[in-house]
Amino acid sequence: MRQLFFIRPGVLEWRDVPEPKLEGSGDAIVRPVAAASCDLDIAIIRGEAPFLGPFPLGHDFVAEVVEIAPDVTAVQKGDIVIVAGSISCGKCGRCRRGLTGDCAAVPFLSMYGIGALGGDWGGAVSDLVRVPYANAMLVPLPSNLGLIDVTSVGDNAADAWHTVGPYLDAAPEAPILIVGGAGGGSIGLYAVAIARALGSAQVDYVDYDSKRLEVAQSLGGSPIEGWPASLGPYPITVDASADKRGLWCAIRSTEGNGVCTSTGIYYAPETPLPLQEMYMKGITFKTGRIHARSLIPKMLELVSSGSFSSAKIVSEQSDWDDAPRAFCEYTTKLLLTRS
Ligand SMILES: [Zn+2]
Ligand SMILES: [Zn+2]
């Protein structure tokens, strides 16, 4: 079968590899029908993230179930499903607490599409993918939802939800500051769209990229260009920049006893924080990989309500066959679909 490989920065190619087989009684084999770029992918492709090829790329996808093992009851052959990007069993203590990105049944960091660091699970841009723990990993896609709105709910969109959703549940109209820009920059834009959908009265969006600022405005955000030292203050802030200037802008714009969530990956071994100011103001700072599987239902609820759409965030759409070129050229969010 054909599988998309990241070879080295700027070079992706199709490779012929053996088809995956059912290995356990809870496995499924799925055929991806749509795949989206993750903000991390662009950093890998540009050589800005420390991932060495070759390895199969991609972990945001929607697929058709083509084969199931005897213990799989949650989905049937022919179902269209969202596949969580990280591998999770659904039964261990961590999974039951919603920490599905840190499942105790598999090695640390197990996920599709990031090479040796994530394990040998393959990548999303493949003819077939093996899904372990299919009862937990696969979420049937409601038939009325479009691929453009759901292909990233198993990763980037869920990541954005967790930066604003829990706090807007408690204070629905609270103003928010989002600093975007990391990788493709989609997470910050998702956060704008989700915050507006959940009721935030004011969503200010900081970025250095004029196109993303325009998209943020079209999603109901108020664009602010550049890297201000601080703004606001705001009770809820988001750093989706992966840039120290953006990180400091978000933290210093957080009001006393507010919450700042950072989704960016800082690859340097040390990144300074304004801890004295954070201490004085009593700021809660959160960072970490997303536990996306547990948040997929929240995102599907939002898409189903009609208040959220990814259509303006998807910057490029391409046919499946064109994946090697399309992944090297996309800007914010690429959607690949099989014709
Ligand atoms: Zn990702
Ligand atoms: Zn688990």
Side-chain angles (χ1 to χ4, degrees):
M1 69 163 190
R2 197 169 60 158
Q3 189 171 52
L4 182 70
F5 271 72
F6 165 74
I7 307 298
R8 60 182 179 276
V11 180
L12 279 73
E13 68 182 28
W14 292 115
R15 287 191 172 182
D16 282 321
V17 299
E19 291 188 357
K21 308 275 183 232
L22 297 173
E23 294 180 19
S25 61
D27 285 9
I29 302 295
V30 302
R31 178 175 183 267
V33 297
S37 58
C38 167
D39 283 354
L40 173 60
D41 293 335
I42 209 166
I44 293 173
I45 291 164
R46 288 177 180 164
E48 295 167 355
F51 294 86
L52 293 176
F55 60 81
L57 192 73
H59 55 271
D60 285 21
F61 60 126
V62 174
E64 178 184 0
V65 179
V66 295
E67 197 178 355
I68 55 173
D71 291 350
V72 177
T73 54
V75 296
Q76 296 181 335
K77 207 170 150 179
D79 283 355
I80 302 296
V81 293
I82 293 165
V83 188
S86 293
I87 312 298
S88 60
C89 74
K91 289 185 175 172
C92 72
R94 292 179 199 160
C95 282
R96 288 201 308 271
R97 296 205 306 279
L99 307 176
T100 52
D102 210 6
C103 171
V106 289
F108 182 54
L109 296 177
S110 287
M111 63 180 288
Y112 295 108
I114 61 165
L117 192 64
D120 188 21
W121 302 99
V125 192
S126 297
D127 288 339
L128 296 169
V129 174
R130 180 174 83 89
V131 181
Y133 313 111
N135 285 330
M137 291 268 297
L138 299 179
V139 182
L141 179 64
S143 59
N144 58 329
L145 303 186
L147 291 173
I148 198 166
D149 287 325
V150 300
T151 305
S152 271
V153 305
D155 188 34
N156 284 170
D159 207 354
W161 188 93
H162 103 285
T163 66
V164 296
Y167 316 112
L168 288 171
D169 278 350
E173 294 184 6
I176 293 181
L177 175 70
I178 295 162
V179 186
S186 76
I187 293 175
L189 296 175
Y190 279 119
V192 172
I194 292 166
R196 293 292 286 161
L198 293 176
S200 172
Q202 178 71 34
V203 180
D204 291 338
Y205 177 81
V206 168
D207 202 328
Y208 58 87
D209 182 90
S210 58
K211 281 191 180 163
R212 283 196 300 261
L213 286 163
E214 278 174 27
V215 175
Q217 188 165 28
S218 75
L219 295 168
S222 299
I224 300 168
E225 190 167 4
W227 302 95
S230 72
L231 296 160
Y234 306 77
I236 304 164
T237 62
V238 179
D239 163 46
S241 74
D243 186 294
K244 186 200 143 187
R245 294 165 297 179
L247 173 68
W248 278 56
C249 174
I251 291 175
R252 303 195 86 166
S253 303
T254 309
E255 71 179 27
N257 302 294
V259 180
C260 176
T261 306
S262 177
T263 62
I265 305 175
Y266 290 82
Y267 294 107
E270 294 179 2
T271 302
L273 293 175
L275 282 173
Q276 183 192 66
E277 182 176 338
M278 293 165 73
Y279 174 87
M280 293 300 180
K281 294 201 297 191
I283 290 170
T284 299
F285 179 71
K286 297 185 70 178
T287 186
R289 292 173 302 108
I290 187 60
H291 303 290
R293 171 61 188 88
S294 58
L295 297 178
I296 289 174
K298 289 271 188 195
M299 276 309 305
L300 288 182
E301 194 181 306
L302 208 55
V303 177
S304 296
S305 74
S307 59
F308 168 86
S309 169
S310 305
K312 292 174 179 166
I313 300 171
V314 172
S315 53
E316 287 89 12
Q317 296 193 54
S318 287
D319 186 76
W320 200 263
D321 292 343
D322 204 22
R325 181 204 58 78
F327 260 97
C328 285
E329 294 180 5
Y330 81 93
T331 53
T332 298
K333 175 65 73 180
L334 169 68
L335 177 65
L336 286 177
T337 47
R338 288 188 195 269
S339 56

